[in-house]
Amino acid sequence: MTGTRRQLRTVPLALLILYTVFIGLVTLTPNQMDTGPGSFIAGLLEFLASHRVTAWISFDILEKLANVGMFIPFGLLVALQCGRSRWWVGWVAGIAFTCLIEGTQATLLSPTRFATISDLVTNSLGAGIGAVAGLIVMKIWPPRMDRVPVDHEVR
């Protein structure tokens, strides 16, 4: 792999590692995000309810949208890391990761966290959307052809 191609793969890998840690911190801590009165989420729901166009967005809908949105970057970054021919690994990795998260919540974190099929579905959907977005990005921006001569010598 040439220097330029190695750099292009290093950036998504670094972001993928950081984003995976972020998802782990959000989903695998013993306590859920603060949803009580005066919290950011309560304020956002109040704001949405005060407008006719967004009044239909309840806590459940917001949570589902957040789950989808949280896994889109994960699927995208995995797809970019794996390349055009294996873009689908972003979706499969998202499904596997969410199964690990939900399994951990159901067993180790069961006193404070809740594993749900809905989370499994929405997280997987987000990873799939991200993986397809990664494929589209790779189709739009094909790999840059380096002008460095290829060294055919075996070392």
Side-chain angles (χ1 to χ4, degrees):
M1 191 181 297
T2 62
T4 304
R5 292 187 90 191
R6 193 172 299 131
Q7 281 180 331
L8 291 175
R9 288 235 170 155
T10 304
V11 171
L13 179 60
L15 289 173
L16 175 61
I17 291 168
L18 289 172
Y19 198 73
T20 303
V21 169
F22 167 75
I23 291 174
L25 290 172
V26 169
T27 59
L28 297 174
T29 54
N31 298 322
Q32 293 185 12
M33 291 180 67
D34 184 21
T35 57
S39 69
F40 171 75
I41 295 171
L44 178 60
L45 286 169
E46 187 178 316
F47 173 78
L48 294 171
S50 68
H51 294 82
R52 229 182 347 187
V53 177
T54 57
W56 59 273
I57 300 176
S58 65
F59 177 79
D60 289 337
I61 292 172
L62 185 65
E63 181 186 25
K64 286 174 180 42
L65 290 172
N67 283 345
V68 171
M70 182 170 58
F71 270 79
I72 289 174
F74 181 82
L76 172 81
L77 292 170
V78 172
L80 291 177
Q81 183 61 34
C82 291
R84 264 191 210 182
S85 63
R86 294 183 296 154
W87 65 271
W88 51 269
V89 174
W91 195 2
V92 173
I95 293 169
F97 190 30
T98 195
C99 285
L100 175 70
I101 290 167
E102 295 303 310
T104 303
Q105 287 180 348
T107 55
L108 301 177
L109 301 172
S110 63
T112 57
R113 298 295 284 228
F114 303 99
T116 65
I117 297 295
S118 142
D119 286 355
L120 183 69
V121 170
T122 54
N123 293 349
S124 299
L125 178 63
I129 292 169
V132 169
L135 176 64
I136 291 168
V137 166
M138 289 183 280
K139 293 261 185 204
I140 291 173
W141 288 294
R144 188 173 143 192
M145 301 305 290
D146 290 336
R147 297 180 188 199
V148 178
V150 177
D151 185 10
H152 294 289
E153 183 178 328
V154 176
R155 297 176 192 202

